Amino acid sequence: MSQFPLSLKPSLSVFLCYSLPSYILSATASSVELSKTSLARVSNSTANFSASYSAYQQAVTDNNDADIFKYSAESYELGRKKFGDKSLDTANLALNYAAALELQDKSLGENAINEPREQAHQLYLTALAIYEVEYGDDGVDVLDPLLGAAITNSKLKLARSQLRQAVEIAADSERPLLLASVLMSAFNELKNTEYYDRRVRDYALNSFEIYQQELPPNALKRVEATYIVGMIWLAENRESKAIPLFEEVALCA
C-alpha cells in the first residue's frame, strides 16, 4: 500500500503539566508531577531547585512558552543533581523538558537543524529507561516516554518498532480510550512515510471504531477521527464511505 497522500490534522494534546505533544497520554494523572514528599524535601534542602520548579509551574499556568522552556531546562538540571540520574522524579522532569524542547523545535520551522528534537529524544530515552525499571517494560506507565521517544526518533524504522510496542502495551491495558489515542498517534506518525501500509491504515480505523463506541458524536476526538477516516476512504476512492463521515463532521461544526 502506498503512503497516505494527505496531511491530516493530528489528534489533540492530552494535558499534563501543560499542553504536551499529542502522543503524550498521561497513563497516571501525576506522571510529570513531583511527589509532595519530594517537593517538601527539596524545599528544605535545595532552595534553587524549589524556586526553579515553582517558576516552571507558574509559567505553565501563564502559558508562557519562553519561561516554560527556560525553567523546565533549569529545573531538570537542578533536579537531576538533587534526586540523582535514576530517580523517577528526574524522569518526570525530563519529560517536562523534552516536551518544551519539542515546542521549540516546531517554532524553528522545517528547514532548521533539529537539535531540539534530538535533545528531546535523548531525554525521552532517559525517562523511558527509568520508567521501565520502575514499572516494567510492558507497563502502561511507560507509554508517555515510549511514544515521546518514537515521535522524536530520527530513525524511522526504530520509531515504527517503538510505536508498535506502544500499541501492544495499550491493547493489553484494557482501556479502550487509551488504546484509541495510541493507535491514532501511531497512524499520524507513519501515515506519510514509506511504512504506511494496511496495518497503519487500520490503526486509524480501529481508533475510530473505539471512539464511536466510547464517545458521543460531538466529542472532539471522535470528530477528528471521523474526519481522518473520511480522508482515508477518499484517498482510496471510496466516496460512498467518505461522504457520510464528512457529513457527520459538518453536523458537529
Side-chain angles (χ1 to χ4, degrees):
M1 179 178 289
S2 60
Q3 72 182 61
F4 191 67
L6 299 175
S7 178
L8 299 179
K9 182 179 178 182
S11 59
L12 292 184
S13 302
V14 179
F15 290 91
L16 298 183
C17 273
Y18 67 102
S19 182
L20 298 178
S22 61
Y23 50 84
I24 297 294
L25 304 169
S26 186
T28 59
S30 59
S31 64
V32 293
E33 291 282 4
L34 304 187
S35 67
K36 293 181 180 179
T37 301
S38 297
L39 287 175
R41 184 173 67 249
V42 168
S43 64
N44 290 331
S45 61
T46 313
N48 287 342
F49 172 81
S50 181
S52 179
Y53 189 70
S54 294
Y56 166 76
Q57 291 179 308
Q58 186 61 51
V60 170
T61 299
D62 296 340
N63 199 27
N64 185 326
D65 289 348
D67 280 354
I68 286 173
F69 176 75
K70 175 182 177 181
Y71 290 113
S72 65
E74 185 178 279
S75 61
Y76 168 68
E77 294 299 338
L78 292 171
R80 187 174 61 167
K81 293 177 181 178
K82 176 61 183 176
F83 301 120
D85 289 334
K86 297 182 180 180
S87 165
L88 190 59
D89 286 325
T90 299
N92 293 335
L93 291 166
L95 288 177
N96 288 338
Y97 185 24
L101 280 163
E102 283 198 80
L103 289 177
Q104 185 189 58
D105 178 67
K106 291 177 181 178
S107 70
L108 293 177
E110 294 182 359
N111 296 324
I113 299 174
N114 289 328
E115 290 183 5
R117 183 182 178 89
E118 179 58 33
Q119 191 175 358
H121 179 64
Q122 294 303 318
L123 287 165
Y124 282 125
L125 290 179
T126 295
L128 178 60
I130 297 170
Y131 268 54
E132 286 179 338
V133 171
E134 185 75 17
Y135 301 112
D137 294 351
D138 56 356
V140 69
D141 297 271
V142 307
L143 283 173
D144 283 356
L146 178 59
L147 284 170
I151 302 310
T152 56
N153 199 333
S154 60
K155 298 177 180 179
L156 188 57
K157 188 174 182 179
L158 291 178
R160 180 184 62 166
S161 177
Q162 290 170 322
L163 289 166
R164 287 180 175 179
Q165 182 184 354
V167 169
E168 291 175 1
I169 292 172
D172 290 339
S173 72
E174 298 183 354
R175 293 166 57 179
L177 290 177
L178 179 65
L179 175 58
S181 291
V182 174
L183 286 168
M184 194 58 76
S185 293
F187 169 80
N188 281 323
E189 194 61 22
L190 297 172
K191 67 179 184 289
N192 289 322
T193 73
E194 62 186 286
Y195 293 113
Y196 182 80
D197 56 15
R198 185 168 296 275
R199 173 188 281 193
V200 174
R201 175 256 229 170
D202 287 349
Y203 285 163
L205 300 186
N206 293 337
S207 177
F208 173 56
E209 289 179 1
I210 293 171
Y211 285 138
Q212 281 185 308
Q213 295 170 5
E214 300 290 333
L215 297 177
N218 62 344
L220 194 51
K221 283 184 176 293
R222 176 170 169 176
V223 173
E224 284 191 332
T226 303
Y227 174 76
I228 287 171
V229 172
M231 293 299 288
I232 290 174
W233 293 138
L234 187 63
E236 295 182 6
N237 297 315
R238 302 174 73 174
E239 288 85 355
S240 62
K241 285 193 170 186
I243 292 173
L245 296 179
F246 292 140
E247 290 175 342
E248 183 177 331
V249 171
L251 290 174
C252 296

